[in-house]
Amino acid sequence: MKALSVKQPWACLIVEGIKPIEIRSWATDHRGPLLVCASASPKNTFWRDSRDNEIRLMHAGCMIGIVNLVDVRKMRKADEEDSISDYDSSAYSWVTEPVSFVRPDKLLGKLRLFDVPDRSIVRIANDETDWIFNYPAPQGEIRYNPKTCDLLNI
């Protein structure tokens, strides 16, 4: 399957369908299934889980989920909201639809599109919304410590 590395938190937002447009400086002819991988950098991106109000580490350096890449076109001003990006007339909008999360196994990302063997991808049912609790962050367990980490507005 073709794969794309994306920094967090954007990788999770794309797979969840919250950010249905990814902005890139380049186009691709690929359409169809696309594995979204969280790049290994930055490693210390945190988020507050609304279910239990805990601050957790976002997964990095691993596969996150599958989307369908349905269109790639020049960015439009109207794409700003869905891409969570400022308009750039030279950029390309990659329009996606969420499919499913996958087991967040470690994966070395690459620039541009790259291939990942289908046999190494384990899909997780869409109704299994607690996947992040079932699979610890592959970069290791790091707990938020307010004395050593500066989290803006978290």
Side-chain angles (χ1 to χ4, degrees):
M1 181 177 299
K2 293 292 183 191
L4 179 70
S5 291
V6 181
K7 289 186 178 184
Q8 288 287 31
W10 313 125
C12 281
L13 295 177
I14 291 167
V15 175
E16 290 174 4
I18 295 169
K19 183 180 186 292
I21 297 177
E22 170 64 357
I23 301 300
R24 293 282 154 159
S25 62
W26 50 281
T28 180
D29 291 332
H30 175 75
R31 300 295 182 275
L34 181 66
L35 180 67
V36 176
C37 303
S39 64
S41 176
K43 291 182 189 232
N44 297 327
T45 301
F46 295 88
W47 62 287
R48 183 178 299 277
D49 191 327
S50 61
R51 291 176 284 192
D52 60 8
N53 209 32
E54 284 290 316
I55 295 175
R56 301 199 191 303
L57 179 67
M58 294 195 93
H59 288 58
C62 65
M63 51 185 89
I64 296 290
I66 300 169
V67 296
N68 272 326
L69 182 58
V70 296
D71 192 18
V72 176
R73 55 178 162 69
K74 289 298 275 184
M75 186 179 188
R76 303 172 186 156
K77 180 76 171 153
D79 292 339
E80 284 184 314
E81 186 174 339
D82 283 344
S83 67
I84 315 174
S85 300
D86 291 331
Y87 174 69
D88 178 349
S89 62
S90 65
Y92 292 89
S93 294
W94 292 36
V95 182
T96 64
E97 295 173 344
V99 175
S100 70
F101 277 93
V102 299
R103 188 174 65 202
D105 294 329
K106 282 188 178 183
L107 183 70
L108 181 62
K110 298 178 183 174
L111 295 176
R112 313 233 4 138
L113 291 181
F114 59 99
D115 291 310
V116 174
D118 289 350
R119 66 183 175 280
S120 66
I121 302 167
V122 179
R123 292 181 189 224
I124 298 173
N126 286 339
D127 60 351
E128 195 174 333
T129 56
D130 62 347
W131 72 275
I132 201 148
F133 290 106
N134 295 329
Y135 304 102
Q139 69 266 39
E141 289 296 318
I142 300 173
R143 298 291 295 183
Y144 166 69
N145 181 339
K147 293 179 182 175
T148 59
C149 284
D150 179 21
L151 298 180
L152 299 175
N153 299 322
I154 287 196

